[in-house]
Coordinates of all heavy atoms in Angstrom, one line a residue:
M1 N 86.2 137.1 57.7 CA 86.0 137.5 56.3 C 86.5 138.9 56.1 O 86.2 139.8 56.9 CB 84.5 137.4 55.9 CG 84.0 136.0 56.0 SD 84.4 135.1 54.5 CE 83.3 133.8 54.6
A2 N 87.2 139.1 55.0 CA 87.6 140.4 54.6 C 86.9 140.8 53.4 O 86.5 140.0 52.6 CB 89.1 140.4 54.4
E3 N 86.6 142.1 53.2 CA 85.9 142.6 52.1 C 86.8 143.5 51.2 O 87.5 144.3 51.8 CB 84.7 143.4 52.6 CG 83.7 143.7 51.4 CD 82.4 144.3 52.0 OE1 81.8 143.8 52.9 OE2 82.0 145.3 51.4
N4 N 86.8 143.3 49.9 CA 87.6 144.1 49.1 C 86.8 145.3 48.5 O 85.7 145.5 48.9 CB 88.2 143.3 47.9 CG 87.2 142.7 46.9 OD1 86.0 143.1 47.0 ND2 87.6 141.9 46.1
H5 N 87.4 146.1 47.7 CA 86.8 147.3 47.2 C 85.6 147.1 46.3 O 84.8 148.0 46.1 CB 87.8 148.2 46.4 CG 88.3 147.6 45.1 ND1 89.2 146.5 45.1 CD2 87.9 147.8 43.9 CE1 89.4 146.2 43.8 NE2 88.6 147.0 43.1
V6 N 85.3 145.8 45.8 CA 84.2 145.5 45.0 C 83.0 144.9 45.8 O 82.0 144.7 45.3 CB 84.5 144.6 43.9 CG1 83.6 144.8 42.7 CG2 85.9 144.7 43.4
G7 N 83.3 144.7 47.1 CA 82.3 144.2 48.0 C 82.3 142.6 48.1 O 81.5 142.1 48.7
Q8 N 83.3 142.0 47.5 CA 83.4 140.6 47.6 C 84.1 140.2 48.9 O 84.9 140.9 49.4 CB 84.3 140.0 46.5 CG 83.7 140.2 45.1 CD 84.7 139.8 44.0 OE1 85.9 139.9 44.2 NE2 84.2 139.4 42.9
T9 N 83.7 139.1 49.5 CA 84.3 138.7 50.8 C 85.3 137.6 50.5 O 85.1 136.8 49.6 CB 83.2 138.2 51.8 OG1 82.5 137.2 51.2 CG2 82.3 139.4 52.2
W10 N 86.4 137.6 51.3 CA 87.4 136.6 51.1 C 87.6 135.8 52.5 O 87.5 136.4 53.5 CB 88.7 137.3 50.8 CG 88.8 137.8 49.5 CD1 88.2 139.0 49.0 CD2 89.4 137.3 48.3 NE1 88.4 139.2 47.7 CE2 89.2 138.2 47.2 CE3 90.1 136.1 48.1 CZ2 89.6 137.9 46.0 CZ3 90.6 135.9 46.8 CH2 90.3 136.7 45.8
N11 N 87.7 134.6 52.4 CA 88.0 133.7 53.5 C 89.4 134.0 54.1 O 90.3 134.1 53.3 CB 87.9 132.2 53.1 CG 87.9 131.3 54.2 OD1 88.4 131.6 55.3 ND2 87.5 130.1 53.9
G12 N 89.5 134.1 55.4 CA 90.7 134.4 56.0 C 91.8 133.4 55.7 O 93.0 133.7 55.6
A13 N 91.4 132.1 55.6 CA 92.3 131.0 55.3 C 92.9 131.2 53.9 O 94.1 131.0 53.7 CB 91.6 129.7 55.4
L14 N 92.1 131.7 53.0 CA 92.7 132.0 51.6 C 93.7 133.1 51.6 O 94.7 133.1 51.0 CB 91.5 132.3 50.7 CG 90.6 131.1 50.2 CD1 89.5 131.6 49.4 CD2 91.4 130.1 49.5
I15 N 93.4 134.1 52.4 CA 94.3 135.3 52.5 C 95.6 134.8 53.1 O 96.7 135.2 52.6 CB 93.6 136.4 53.3 CG1 92.4 137.0 52.5 CG2 94.6 137.5 53.6 CD1 91.6 137.9 53.3
L16 N 95.5 134.1 54.2 CA 96.8 133.6 54.9 C 97.6 132.7 53.9 O 98.8 132.7 53.9 CB 96.5 132.9 56.2 CG 96.0 133.8 57.3 CD1 95.6 133.0 58.5 CD2 97.1 134.8 57.7
G17 N 96.9 131.8 53.2 CA 97.5 131.0 52.2 C 98.2 131.7 51.1 O 99.4 131.4 50.7
A18 N 97.6 132.8 50.7 CA 98.2 133.7 49.6 C 99.5 134.4 50.2 O 100.5 134.5 49.5 CB 97.2 134.7 49.1
C19 N 99.4 134.8 51.5 CA 100.5 135.5 52.1 C 101.7 134.5 52.2 O 102.9 134.8 52.0 CB 100.2 136.0 53.4 SG 99.1 137.5 53.3
A20 N 101.4 133.3 52.6 CA 102.5 132.3 52.8 C 103.1 131.9 51.4 O 104.3 131.8 51.3 CB 101.9 131.0 53.4
G21 N 102.3 131.9 50.4 CA 102.8 131.6 49.1 C 103.7 132.7 48.6 O 104.7 132.5 47.9
A22 N 103.2 134.0 48.8 CA 104.0 135.1 48.3 C 105.4 135.2 49.0 O 106.3 135.7 48.4 CB 103.2 136.4 48.6
M23 N 105.4 134.7 50.2 CA 106.7 134.8 50.9 C 107.5 133.5 50.7 O 108.6 133.3 51.2 CB 106.5 135.0 52.4 CG 105.9 136.3 52.8 SD 105.7 136.6 54.5 CE 104.5 135.4 55.0
T24 N 106.9 132.6 49.9 CA 107.5 131.3 49.6 C 107.9 130.5 50.8 O 109.0 129.9 50.9 CB 108.7 131.4 48.6 OG1 109.7 132.1 49.1 CG2 108.2 132.0 47.3
T25 N 107.1 130.5 51.8 CA 107.4 129.7 53.1 C 106.5 128.5 53.1 O 105.3 128.6 53.4 CB 107.1 130.6 54.3 OG1 105.8 131.1 54.2 CG2 108.1 131.7 54.4
T26 N 107.1 127.3 52.8 CA 106.4 126.1 52.8 C 105.9 125.7 54.2 O 104.8 125.1 54.4 CB 107.3 125.0 52.2 OG1 107.7 125.5 50.9 CG2 106.5 123.7 52.0
A27 N 106.7 125.9 55.2 CA 106.3 125.5 56.6 C 105.1 126.3 57.0 O 104.3 125.7 57.8 CB 107.5 125.8 57.5
A28 N 104.9 127.5 56.6 CA 103.8 128.3 57.0 C 102.4 127.7 56.5 O 101.4 127.7 57.2 CB 103.9 129.7 56.6
I29 N 102.4 127.1 55.3 CA 101.2 126.6 54.8 C 100.8 125.4 55.5 O 99.6 125.1 55.8 CB 101.3 126.3 53.3 CG1 99.9 126.1 52.7 CG2 102.2 125.2 52.9 CD1 99.0 127.3 52.7
G30 N 101.7 124.6 56.0 CA 101.4 123.4 56.9 C 100.7 123.9 58.2 O 99.7 123.3 58.6
A31 N 101.3 124.9 58.8 CA 100.7 125.4 60.0 C 99.3 126.0 59.8 O 98.4 125.8 60.6 CB 101.7 126.4 60.6
I32 N 99.2 126.7 58.7 CA 97.9 127.3 58.4 C 96.8 126.3 58.2 O 95.7 126.4 58.7 CB 98.0 128.3 57.2 CG1 98.9 129.5 57.6 CG2 96.6 128.8 56.7 CD1 99.3 130.3 56.4
C33 N 97.2 125.3 57.4 CA 96.2 124.2 57.1 C 95.8 123.4 58.4 O 94.7 123.0 58.6 CB 96.8 123.2 56.1 SG 96.8 123.9 54.4
E34 N 96.8 123.2 59.2 CA 96.6 122.5 60.5 C 95.6 123.3 61.4 O 94.7 122.8 62.0 CB 97.9 122.3 61.2 CG 97.8 121.5 62.5 CD 99.1 121.2 63.1 OE1 100.1 120.9 62.4 OE2 99.2 121.4 64.4
K35 N 95.9 124.6 61.5 CA 95.0 125.5 62.3 C 93.6 125.6 61.7 O 92.7 125.6 62.5 CB 95.7 126.8 62.4 CG 95.1 127.7 63.4 CD 95.4 127.3 64.8 CE 95.0 128.3 65.9 NZ 95.1 127.8 67.2
A36 N 93.5 125.7 60.4 CA 92.2 125.8 59.8 C 91.5 124.5 59.7 O 90.3 124.4 59.4 CB 92.4 126.4 58.4
K37 N 92.2 123.4 59.9 CA 91.6 122.0 59.8 C 91.0 121.8 58.4 O 89.9 121.2 58.3 CB 90.6 121.8 60.9 CG 91.2 121.8 62.3 CD 90.1 121.5 63.3 CE 90.7 121.4 64.7 NZ 90.8 122.6 65.4
S38 N 91.7 122.3 57.4 CA 91.2 122.3 56.0 C 92.4 122.5 55.1 O 93.5 123.0 55.5 CB 90.2 123.4 55.8 OG 89.9 123.5 54.5
N39 N 92.3 122.1 53.8 CA 93.3 122.3 52.8 C 92.9 123.5 51.9 O 93.6 123.7 50.9 CB 93.5 121.0 51.9 CG 94.3 120.0 52.7 OD1 95.1 120.3 53.5 ND2 94.0 118.7 52.3
I40 N 91.9 124.2 52.3 CA 91.5 125.4 51.5 C 92.6 126.4 51.3 O 92.8 127.0 50.2 CB 90.3 126.1 52.2 CG1 89.0 125.2 52.2 CG2 89.9 127.4 51.6 CD1 88.5 124.9 50.8
P41 N 93.5 126.7 52.3 CA 94.5 127.7 52.1 C 95.5 127.4 51.0 O 96.1 128.2 50.4 CB 95.3 127.8 53.4 CG 94.3 127.3 54.4 CD 93.4 126.3 53.7
V42 N 95.6 126.1 50.6 CA 96.5 125.6 49.6 C 96.1 126.2 48.2 O 96.9 126.4 47.3 CB 96.6 124.1 49.6 CG1 97.5 123.6 48.4 CG2 97.1 123.6 50.9
L43 N 94.8 126.4 48.0 CA 94.3 126.9 46.8 C 94.9 128.3 46.4 O 95.3 128.5 45.3 CB 92.7 127.1 46.8 CG 92.0 125.8 47.0 CD1 90.5 126.1 47.2 CD2 92.2 124.9 45.8
S44 N 95.0 129.2 47.4 CA 95.6 130.5 47.1 C 97.2 130.4 47.2 O 97.9 131.2 46.6 CB 95.1 131.5 48.0 OG 95.3 131.2 49.4
Y45 N 97.7 129.4 48.0 CA 99.1 129.3 48.2 C 99.8 129.0 46.8 O 100.9 129.5 46.6 CB 99.4 128.2 49.2 CG 100.8 127.9 49.4 CD1 101.6 128.6 50.2 CD2 101.4 126.8 48.8 CE1 103.0 128.3 50.4 CE2 102.7 126.4 48.9 CZ 103.5 127.2 49.8 OH 104.8 126.9 50.0
T46 N 99.2 128.1 46.1 CA 99.9 127.6 44.9 C 100.2 128.7 43.9 O 101.3 128.7 43.3 CB 99.1 126.4 44.2 OG1 97.8 126.9 44.0 CG2 99.1 125.2 45.1
V47 N 99.2 129.5 43.6 CA 99.4 130.6 42.6 C 100.5 131.6 43.1 O 101.4 131.9 42.3 CB 98.1 131.3 42.4 CG1 98.2 132.5 41.5 CG2 97.0 130.3 41.8
T48 N 100.4 132.1 44.3 CA 101.3 133.1 44.8 C 102.7 132.5 45.0 O 103.7 133.2 44.8 CB 100.8 133.8 46.1 OG1 100.6 132.7 47.1 CG2 99.6 134.5 45.8
Y49 N 102.8 131.2 45.3 CA 104.1 130.6 45.4 C 104.8 130.5 44.1 O 106.0 130.8 44.0 CB 103.9 129.2 46.0 CG 105.2 128.4 46.3 CD1 105.9 128.7 47.4 CD2 105.7 127.5 45.4 CE1 107.1 128.0 47.7 CE2 106.9 126.8 45.6 CZ 107.6 127.1 46.8 OH 108.8 126.5 47.0
A50 N 104.1 130.2 43.0 CA 104.7 130.1 41.7 C 105.1 131.5 41.2 O 106.2 131.6 40.7 CB 103.7 129.5 40.7
V51 N 104.3 132.5 41.4 CA 104.6 133.8 41.0 C 105.8 134.3 41.8 O 106.7 135.0 41.3 CB 103.4 134.8 41.1 CG1 103.8 136.2 40.9 CG2 102.3 134.4 40.1
G52 N 105.8 134.1 43.1 CA 106.9 134.5 44.0 C 108.2 133.9 43.6 O 109.2 134.6 43.6
N53 N 108.2 132.6 43.2 CA 109.5 132.0 42.8 C 110.0 132.5 41.5 O 111.2 132.7 41.3 CB 109.3 130.5 42.7 CG 109.5 129.8 44.1 OD1 110.3 130.2 44.9 ND2 108.7 128.8 44.3
I54 N 109.1 132.8 40.6 CA 109.5 133.4 39.3 C 110.1 134.8 39.5 O 111.1 135.1 38.9 CB 108.3 133.4 38.3 CG1 107.9 132.0 37.9 CG2 108.6 134.3 37.1 CD1 106.6 131.9 37.2
L55 N 109.4 135.6 40.3 CA 109.9 136.9 40.6 C 111.2 136.9 41.3 O 112.1 137.8 41.1 CB 108.9 137.8 41.3 CG 107.6 138.1 40.5 CD1 106.6 138.9 41.4 CD2 108.0 138.9 39.3
L56 N 111.4 136.0 42.3 CA 112.7 135.9 43.0 C 113.8 135.6 42.0 O 114.9 136.1 42.1 CB 112.6 134.8 44.0 CG 111.9 135.2 45.4 CD1 111.8 133.9 46.2 CD2 112.7 136.2 46.1
T57 N 113.5 134.7 41.1 CA 114.6 134.3 40.1 C 114.9 135.5 39.2 O 116.1 135.8 38.9 CB 114.1 133.1 39.2 OG1 113.7 132.1 40.1 CG2 115.1 132.7 38.3
I58 N 113.9 136.2 38.7 CA 114.1 137.3 37.7 C 114.8 138.4 38.5 O 115.8 138.9 38.0 CB 112.8 137.7 37.1 CG1 112.2 136.7 36.2 CG2 113.0 139.1 36.4 CD1 110.8 136.9 35.7
W59 N 114.3 138.9 39.6 CA 114.9 140.0 40.3 C 116.3 139.6 40.9 O 117.1 140.5 41.0 CB 114.0 140.5 41.4 CG 112.8 141.3 40.8 CD1 111.5 141.0 40.8 CD2 113.0 142.6 40.2 NE1 110.8 141.9 40.2 CE2 111.7 143.0 39.8 CE3 114.0 143.5 40.0 CZ2 111.4 144.2 39.1 CZ3 113.8 144.6 39.3 CH2 112.5 145.0 38.9
G60 N 116.5 138.4 41.2 CA 117.8 138.0 41.7 C 118.8 138.2 40.6 O 119.9 138.7 40.8
S61 N 118.5 137.8 39.4 CA 119.4 137.9 38.2 C 119.6 139.4 37.9 O 120.8 139.8 37.6 CB 118.8 137.3 37.0 OG 118.6 135.9 37.2
I62 N 118.6 140.2 38.0 CA 118.7 141.7 37.8 C 119.7 142.3 38.8 O 120.5 143.1 38.5 CB 117.4 142.3 37.7 CG1 116.6 141.9 36.5 CG2 117.5 143.9 37.8 CD1 115.2 142.3 36.4
V63 N 119.5 141.9 40.1 CA 120.3 142.5 41.1 C 121.8 142.1 40.9 O 122.7 142.9 41.0 CB 119.8 142.1 42.5 CG1 120.8 142.4 43.6 CG2 118.5 142.7 42.8
V64 N 122.0 140.8 40.6 CA 123.4 140.4 40.3 C 124.0 141.1 39.1 O 125.2 141.6 39.2 CB 123.4 138.8 40.1 CG1 124.8 138.4 39.5 CG2 123.1 138.1 41.4
L65 N 123.3 141.3 38.1 CA 123.8 142.1 36.9 C 124.0 143.5 37.3 O 125.0 144.1 36.8 CB 122.8 142.0 35.7 CG 122.7 140.6 35.0 CD1 121.5 140.6 34.0 CD2 124.0 140.3 34.4
F66 N 123.2 144.1 38.1 CA 123.3 145.5 38.4 C 124.6 145.7 39.3 O 125.3 146.7 39.1 CB 122.1 145.9 39.2 CG 122.1 147.4 39.6 CD1 121.9 148.4 38.7 CD2 122.3 147.7 40.9 CE1 121.9 149.7 39.1 CE2 122.3 149.0 41.3 CZ 122.2 150.1 40.4
F67 N 124.9 144.8 40.2 CA 126.0 145.0 41.1 C 127.3 144.4 40.6 O 128.3 144.5 41.3 CB 125.7 144.5 42.5 CG 124.7 145.3 43.3 CD1 123.4 144.9 43.5 CD2 125.1 146.6 43.7 CE1 122.5 145.7 44.2 CE2 124.2 147.4 44.4 CZ 122.9 147.0 44.6
S68 N 127.3 143.8 39.5 CA 128.6 143.2 39.0 C 129.2 144.1 37.8 O 128.7 145.0 37.4 CB 128.3 141.8 38.5 OG 127.4 141.8 37.4

């Protein structure tokens, strides 16, 4: 369990799921769920995966516009 600045504790599986989603690595979430023997990491994966894909699309377009 990890503790944030407000004193709330976070499950390690949720943190790993969020990291996998932020990096948009689908294979990692399968390995995390298998190791945790639970689908709990998917809860945090879905949100960060969606945000990560949106940011990749937006920043990709900005980089292409900047360098062209």
Side-chain angles (χ1 to χ4, degrees):
M1 296 277 194
E3 191 171 313
N4 66 9
H5 68 282
V6 207
Q8 298 172 331
T9 56
W10 290 79
N11 186 341
L14 287 174
I15 294 171
L16 289 174
C19 289
M23 296 183 295
T24 63
T25 52
T26 307
I29 195 64
I32 294 168
C33 288
E34 183 179 317
K35 190 72 170 171
K37 295 180 177 90
S38 171
N39 285 332
I40 294 291
V42 177
L43 295 173
S44 59
Y45 174 83
T46 54
V47 174
T48 55
Y49 184 80
V51 171
N53 276 325
I54 291 169
L55 291 178
L56 280 172
T57 305
I58 292 171
W59 282 110
S61 300
I62 290 172
V63 167
V64 167
L65 288 172
F66 181 73
F67 286 110
S68 61

